Amino acid sequence: EAIVTSEELGQDLEHVEVLQKKFEEFQTDLAAHEERVNEVNQFAGKLIQELHPEEELIKSKQDEVNSSWQRLKGLALQRQGKLFGAAEVQRFNRDVVETISWIKEKGQLMASDDFGRDLASVQALLRKHEGLERDLAALEDKVKALCVEADRLQQSHPISASQIQVKREELIASWEQIRTLAAERHARLNDSYRLQRFLADFRDLTSWVTEMKALINADELANDVAGAEALLDRHQEHKGEIDAHEDSFKSADESGQALLAAGHYASDEVKEKLTILSDERSALLELWELRRQQYEQCMDLQLFYRDTEQVDNWMSKQEAFLLNEDLGDSLDSVEALLKKHEDFEKSLSAQEEKIT
């Protein structure tokens, strides 16, 4: 009876399970004694049937034994119920403690101030954080189940209701805190990603501008018309490439302006980079225009040199014609010479237009 009337219900789940195991051993022992009680009843019945002179005493003892036996079984049933209830409460406590411990462990990861130093590291951190958020989504069902269990246990175990409520509130507070941390970190990582994406575009574009400037400045001025034409054609190809990058410049500018409009924490740096990008683009266009003028001037000069050389060659040939002292020795020969001279004058007139 001391076992079934014990008020000891354990300090934690492990302790309760030890008490339950001991009680199971007691129940086994109790079941083994039930046969002994039956034997007592059978023997008492036999004595009464035989009209034993101590019949009243026998009946009294039999009733006393049966009453004690039923009382013991009733107390055992109550003890079993109490231990089962204690196990439920302690199991709930353990599950809450383990869940809060897991939440705190993940909370330390989410409290990190590492938001990436470049695009690759930010992307890696985002993937890691998305994994944590998936873990949280899976945990949410467990948190809800524990809250439902807390409500049930408070109804079925009013003595432990206040302690269960404390655990429930601790769990909810930890859960709300981790959700807030997760949302804040995701937002910061997104801010970091947008910044690093902008900075990566900035580096790519400024690097490309540097290469394009070097390419535009690389060609020497031509020494003939064909070379000058080739330079102009190649220079126009450079303009095509510059035009092809206009969308990239526009996209980078829009990204930077969006960061500024959102009040990004790196707004000063973004503003500086936008200014540099705009200046670099303008400088590239100015350089291209300057070189275009130089190449066109070179083309004009080479055309002038070519035309001058052609005129010089023509005049050298015509000078020999004019120095010819043959004036003809007959009418036909004079007329032929006159015809040649007229042709020369026409040619001279044509060359004069070219020269002027």
Side-chain angles (χ1 to χ4, degrees), residues 292-306:
R292 183 192 65 79
Q293 293 175 7
Q294 291 175 344
Y295 291 151
E296 287 185 351
Q297 290 171 355
C298 177
M299 181 67 172
D300 291 340
L301 181 62
Q302 294 305 322
L303 287 172
F304 172 74
Y305 286 157
R306 185 194 64 182

Side-chain angles (χ1 to χ4, degrees), residues 138-149:
L139 183 68
E140 185 173 11
D141 291 338
K142 185 174 182 179
V143 171
K144 289 179 178 178
L146 284 172
C147 287
V148 170
E149 179 69 356

Side-chain angles (χ1 to χ4, degrees), residues 198-243:
F198 168 76
L199 293 177
D201 291 342
F202 167 81
R203 286 190 294 270
D204 289 345
L205 286 172
T206 52
S207 176
W208 174 81
V209 167
T210 300
E211 292 174 3
M212 188 55 65
K213 284 180 178 179
L215 201 58
I216 291 173
N217 279 321
D219 291 322
E220 298 289 339
L221 295 178
N223 295 318
D224 54 41
V225 173
E229 288 177 343
L231 279 178
L232 282 170
D233 288 342
R234 190 154 55 247
H235 195 59
Q236 196 58 42
E237 290 175 1
H238 295 334
K239 185 61 165 62
E241 188 173 351
I242 292 172
D243 291 342

Side-chain angles (χ1 to χ4, degrees), residues 110 115 122 125-127 129-131 133 178-194:
M110 293 186 185
F115 299 104
V122 174
L125 287 172
L126 269 171
R127 286 192 295 272
H129 186 75
E130 287 165 359
E133 287 184 320
I178 194 72
R179 288 182 61 188
T180 301
L181 279 174
E184 289 175 351
R185 180 160 178 78
H186 202 155
R188 286 295 301 272
L189 285 171
N190 280 334
D191 285 345
S192 181
Y193 173 79
R194 290 193 299 152

Side-chain angles (χ1 to χ4, degrees), residues 158-198:
I159 295 177
S160 303
S162 60
Q163 178 264 323
I164 293 169
Q165 181 62 20
V166 169
K167 287 292 184 185
R168 185 178 188 275
E169 290 173 357
E170 287 179 8
L171 177 63
I172 292 174
S174 295
W175 174 245
E176 293 299 330
Q177 183 181 27
I178 194 72
R179 288 182 61 188
T180 301
L181 279 174
E184 289 175 351
R185 180 160 178 78
H186 202 155
R188 286 295 301 272
L189 285 171
N190 280 334
D191 285 345
S192 181
Y193 173 79
R194 290 193 299 152
L195 173 64
Q196 295 301 334
R197 176 75 272 173
F198 168 76

